[in-house]
């Protein structure tokens, strides 16, 4: 049963505040939404604070992606006697994340078909993109390499010292455009 709603929530569900208070959640959101949320609600009523996302149709707004945070309300004895639910419309953020993931997938497909090693080493000295040829060359997984220096976990110092064109690696690590061929030859491009 809902005991408190703010104006934004009433606007979201398309009902006046006074017609929401005191009614079961299933009457306000519908049985299908409640069924989807049942597990999350049970966890919150057991004392767990959690966040989840879901898409659903909202009156006058169409399909929207919502991030919901459930916060248990404890009494002085530590017993949960209610839940605060805070919802945030993240539809635009969700669309951007989806588009970015799709673009990254297309880029990875393209880059993984380039037979030469390809990597993006940021100014912080960490790799944020590598292709399959690079991973094959350093004999590491993507997880071992991304977010680490050249060569991945524990590999930067050793590879850096062995690399025949350390100056090019240093320039690339400093954010300059540099090409380094597998045989160590290369040309600065900025």
């Amino acid at each position: 049963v809902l005991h408190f709603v703010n104006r934004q929530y009433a606007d979201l569900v398309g009902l006046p505040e006074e017609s929401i208070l005191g009614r079961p959640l299933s009457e306000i959101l519908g049985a299908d939404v409640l069924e989807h949320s049942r597990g999350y609600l049970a966890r919150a009523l057991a004392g767990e604070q959690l966040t989840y996302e879901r898409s659903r149709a909202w009156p006058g707004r169409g399909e929207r992606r919502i991030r919901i945070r459930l916060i248990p309300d404890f009494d002085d004895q530590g017993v949960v006697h209610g839940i605060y639910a805070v919802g945030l419309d993240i539809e635009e953020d969700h669309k951007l994340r989806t588009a970015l993931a799709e673009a990254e997938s297309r880029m990875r497909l393209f880059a993984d078909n380039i037979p030469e090693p390809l990597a993006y080493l940021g100014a912080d000295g960490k790799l944020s993109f590598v292709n399959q040829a690079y991973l094959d060359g350093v004999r590491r997984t993507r997880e071992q390499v991304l977010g680490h220096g050249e060569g991945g976990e524990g590999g930067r110092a050793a590879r850096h010292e062995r690399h025949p064109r350390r100056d090019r690696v240093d320039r690339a690590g400093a954010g300059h455009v540099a090409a380094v061929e597998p045989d160590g030859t290369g040309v600065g491009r900025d």
Side-chain angles (χ1 to χ4, degrees):
V1 175
L2 293 166
H3 296 285
F4 169 80
V5 296
N6 63 10
R7 183 181 47 78
Q8 289 84 359
Y9 182 80
D11 291 346
L12 180 67
V13 298
L15 297 170
E17 290 177 53
E18 59 276 2
S19 71
I20 297 172
L21 297 177
R23 290 177 60 192
L25 196 55
S26 60
E27 289 181 19
I28 304 302
L29 298 179
D32 61 324
V33 173
L34 183 60
E35 187 58 38
H36 175 271
S37 304
R38 194 172 304 282
Y40 299 114
L41 295 169
R43 289 168 53 192
L45 286 169
E48 181 182 348
Q49 188 174 127
L50 61 124
T51 303
Y52 69 97
E53 294 180 10
R54 75 160 289 148
S55 294
R56 74 167 287 221
W58 295 93
R61 295 178 141 199
E63 186 83 12
R64 305 295 292 178
R65 186 78 175 181
I66 305 292
R67 180 175 296 137
I68 301 152
R69 183 173 183 124
L70 300 177
I71 306 158
D73 183 22
F74 296 95
D75 65 16
D76 293 340
Q77 285 75 42
V79 176
V80 177
H81 60 87
I83 303 169
Y84 290 102
V86 180
L88 179 64
D89 183 337
I90 60 165
E91 181 64 23
E92 296 308 312
D93 176 66
H94 180 69
K95 285 179 181 176
L96 289 172
R97 284 186 288 149
T98 300
L100 182 60
E102 289 169 359
E104 183 178 344
S105 177
R106 286 190 304 271
M107 176 65 169
R108 181 157 317 286
L109 180 64
F110 171 76
D112 281 345
N113 284 296
I114 296 173
E116 298 299 323
L118 177 66
Y120 182 81
L121 183 66
D124 62 357
K126 295 182 179 178
L127 292 165
S128 60
F129 183 86
V130 296
N131 70 350
Q132 189 60 47
Y134 182 94
L135 294 172
D136 294 342
V138 296
R139 295 185 188 99
R140 296 183 188 276
T141 65
R142 202 171 306 280
E143 292 76 24
Q144 291 172 315
V145 170
L146 295 181
H148 299 282
E150 184 200 2
E153 283 179 358
R156 179 175 172 32
R159 277 187 55 91
H160 184 267
E161 292 307 315
R162 290 193 321 259
H163 204 290
R165 292 305 303 257
R166 288 193 323 244
D167 60 323
R168 298 281 182 226
V169 173
D170 288 337
R171 287 178 50 76
H176 298 280
V177 176
V180 181
E181 299 298 328
D183 67 358
T185 61
V187 181
R189 297 205 177 141
D190 61 355

